């Protein structure tokens, strides 16, 4: 048996038919730039996140950048974030001119709110938590700190569309929240796409301006920016994907529960707090002998990933630029392994992945 990490080909005939019909519709009406599918997509996203406004942009990275700029974050400001994310998170902060400040994570790979207060300085402007692996951060604690110190909160919810906890849904917590819909994500386009949600009309207006060269009425540039418009074709494809998102998530959650039942004695499995529902963008286990296990699985034709093997402050572009005190993240990054958990997996494949891992550890003293 061969288990790919992810298979992006569309094999479901009905899904393919719907996607092609969506493309056909855009080609027929011809309003390919900021077409009606974008407004429809934005309205649906805002509604699903319990927000007043959504602004479609060209990627999750751009969503972060446009958000930060719409909040006026720039040179001289500090933004508190996690060391464990895709590098886009910190690139977006740095490219506004602001300085990222890294706060260590908890064992669930999300930022540790107990460490945030000691990282606050007079320059701190915002907290940018990342709902890593599709699990919502401790937003109650983060919100309380933000209120007390007068800080903005920007959610990087790129991995967590439709994830819930007992207080709300991903994207409903910060002044703004950012999603990525790139082809890998749980809600995904067939290319690049992103969206930002907010309840604040003036922030929404700024984002609309920032996504198109900083213009007002698409004419007069009032603030320098680049082109971050979402493609109408991607929005049209996303409208099709939105119809099956509940099914995708419940399938991923079913696989996750299955894995946990089989693997909890040999691996630290993702943990769900009471009342919360992760969407399992990745099913990331934490294990001893990680690299050896990964080789063993590769030899058994199972593709795995390490999300992400380099902590953000230690990428070449940033190494040595920022002081860090992140021992939990430094240990976790040596132990994380993302195993296949996409919605098209068969039960046999899930069992094969789990039994391969169990087989590996049966020869080890854990
Ligand atoms: C995917 C991702 C991004 C960037 O999204 P793109 O659409 O790929 O630009 C940002 N942050 C996190 C946590 C992500 O997983």
């Amino acid at each position: 048996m061969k288990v790919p990490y992810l298979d992006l080909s569309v094999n479901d005939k009905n899904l393919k038919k719907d996607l092609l019909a969506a493309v056909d519709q855009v080609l027929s009406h011809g309003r390919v730039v900021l077409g009606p599918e974008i407004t429809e997509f934005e309205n649906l996203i805002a509604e699903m996140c319990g927000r007043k406004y959504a602004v479609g942009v060209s990627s999750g990275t751009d969503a972060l950048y446009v958000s930060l700029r719409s909040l006026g974050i720039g040179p001289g400001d500090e933004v508190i974030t996690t060391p464990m994310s895709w590098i886009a998170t910190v690139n977006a902060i740095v490219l506004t001119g602001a300085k990222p400040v890294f706060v260590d994570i908890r064992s669930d790979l999300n930022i540790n709110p107990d460490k945030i207060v000691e990282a606050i300085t007079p320059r701190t402007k915002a907290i940018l938590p990342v709902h890593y692996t599709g699990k919502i951060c401790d937003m109650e604690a983060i919100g309380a700190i933000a209120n007390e110190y007068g800080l903005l909160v920007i959610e990087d919810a790129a991995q967590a569309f439709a994830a819930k906890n007992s207080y709300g849904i991903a994207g409903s917590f910060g002044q703004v929240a950012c999603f990525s819909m790139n082809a890998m994500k749980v809600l995904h386009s067939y290319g690049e796409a992103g969206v930002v949600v907010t309840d604040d009309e003036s922030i929404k207006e700024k984002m609309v301006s920032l996504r198109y060269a900083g213009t007002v009425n698409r004419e007069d540039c009032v603030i320098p920016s680049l082109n971050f418009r979402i493609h109408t074709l991607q929005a049209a494809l996303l409208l099709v994907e939105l119809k099956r998102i509940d099914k995708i998530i419940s399938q991923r959650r079913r696989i996750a529960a299955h894995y946990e039942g089989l693997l909890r004695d040999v691996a630290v499995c993702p943990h769900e707090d009471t009342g919360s529902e992760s969407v399992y963008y990745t099913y990331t286990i934490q294990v001893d002998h990680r690299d050896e296990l990964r080789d063993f699985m590769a030899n058994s034709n199972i593709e795995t990933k390490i999300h992400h093997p380099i902590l953000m402050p230690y990428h070449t572009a940033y190494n040595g630029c920022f002081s860090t005190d992140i021992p939990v993240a430094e240990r976790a990054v040596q132990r994380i392994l993302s195993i296949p958990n996409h919605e098209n997996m068969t039960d046999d494949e899930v069992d094969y992945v789990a039994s391969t891992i169990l087989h590996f550890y049966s020869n080890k003293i854990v």
Side-chain angles (χ1 to χ4, degrees):
M1 193 181 290
K2 198 171 170 166
V3 188
Y5 185 75
L6 191 62
D7 181 4
L8 293 173
S9 56
V10 179
N11 299 313
D12 179 321
K13 283 204 180 75
N14 288 325
L15 174 61
K16 192 178 238 173
K17 205 175 95 216
D18 291 350
L19 290 168
L20 289 172
V23 172
D24 191 273
Q25 180 177 310
V26 174
L27 296 180
S28 299
H29 68 54
R31 288 145 73 194
V32 290
V33 179
L34 294 181
E37 288 78 7
I38 291 177
T39 312
E40 199 183 327
F41 169 71
E42 289 172 336
N43 290 342
L44 262 173
I45 294 289
E47 189 188 318
M48 288 179 78
C49 295
R51 293 295 210 161
K52 286 201 184 125
Y53 308 105
V55 178
V57 289
S58 37
S59 73
T61 308
D62 300 339
L64 288 165
Y65 179 73
V66 165
S67 294
L68 288 159
R69 286 202 58 201
S70 74
L71 294 168
I73 289 166
D77 297 330
E78 292 179 359
V79 178
I80 290 173
T81 193
T82 169
M84 188 171 270
S85 179
W86 169 230
I87 195 65
T89 308
V90 79
N91 285 347
I93 297 170
V94 169
L95 286 175
T96 67
K99 180 185 160 197
V101 174
F102 297 99
V103 164
D104 207 359
I105 56 171
R106 284 180 172 162
S107 58
D108 70 354
L109 309 178
N110 278 336
I111 192 167
N112 185 347
D114 299 337
K115 304 273 179 191
I116 289 178
V117 169
E118 60 199 69
I120 294 173
T121 75
R123 291 171 173 255
T124 307
K125 192 90 177 268
I127 307 173
L128 199 166
V130 178
H131 304 318
Y132 209 55
T133 73
K135 178 184 178 175
I136 296 183
C137 295
D138 186 347
M139 295 309 293
E140 201 201 8
I142 292 168
I145 296 166
N147 278 340
E148 188 178 340
Y149 291 86
L151 305 176
L152 299 162
V153 174
I154 300 130
E155 293 172 72
D156 182 342
Q159 305 187 352
F161 183 77
K164 300 181 189 83
N165 70 10
S166 38
Y167 305 99
I169 191 163
S172 68
F173 299 99
Q175 269 74 31
V176 301
C178 307
F179 296 97
S180 162
M181 277 92 188
N182 82 24
M184 301 267 297
K185 299 282 151 66
V186 180
L187 171 64
H188 65 89
S189 66
Y190 292 82
E192 310 286 341
V195 67
V196 188
V197 295
T198 184
D199 288 327
D200 185 317
E201 190 179 3
S202 73
I203 292 173
K204 189 259 298 183
E205 293 298 330
K206 280 201 191 106
M207 294 194 293
V208 168
S209 168
L210 285 163
R211 86 170 163 185
Y212 193 44
T215 53
V216 166
N217 299 327
R218 302 192 212 170
E219 278 175 2
D220 184 19
C221 171
V222 293
I223 180 171
S225 188
L226 300 173
N227 181 3
F228 303 116
R229 289 186 297 188
I230 185 172
H231 298 199
T232 304
L233 277 170
Q234 297 300 344
L237 296 170
L238 278 160
L239 286 172
V240 176
E241 289 296 319
L242 272 170
K243 289 195 192 123
R244 64 183 195 112
I245 188 66
D246 289 348
K247 239 165 81 186
I248 291 175
I249 291 170
S250 61
Q251 178 67 355
R252 282 177 177 248
R253 290 180 50 73
R254 204 180 62 81
I255 293 170
H258 198 86
Y259 273 143
E260 193 190 357
L262 294 168
L263 296 176
R264 66 176 140 226
D265 291 338
V266 298
V268 177
C269 292
H271 172 74
E272 288 196 356
D273 307 320
T274 339
S276 66
E277 290 184 16
S278 293
V279 293
Y280 297 101
Y281 166 63
T282 59
Y283 192 84
T284 303
I285 55 175
Q286 298 176 59
V287 290
D288 297 329
H289 312 289
R290 190 264 319 269
D291 293 338
E292 223 184 304
L293 171 64
R294 192 168 191 225
D295 290 344
F296 184 81
M297 293 178 80
N299 290 333
S300 309
N301 292 316
I302 300 168
E303 191 186 359
T304 58
K305 303 245 182 222
I306 299 170
H307 290 108
H308 294 277
I310 308 174
L311 295 173
M312 293 195 296
Y314 302 148
H315 280 253
T316 301
Y318 302 120
N319 209 357
C321 295
F322 310 111
S323 64
T324 51
D325 179 15
I326 48 174
V328 179
E330 283 169 358
R331 175 159 190 269
V333 80
Q334 307 296 328
R335 292 169 48 82
I336 49 174
L337 187 68
S338 300
I339 61 177
N341 73 324
H342 57 85
E343 54 279 5
N344 298 326
M345 278 177 89
T346 63
D347 287 352
D348 283 351
E349 287 175 325
V350 176
D351 285 333
Y352 177 62
V353 172
S355 66
T356 303
I357 296 171
L358 291 172
H359 182 204
F360 174 79
Y361 286 107
S362 68
N363 302 317
K364 296 251 182 252
I365 302 156
V366 179

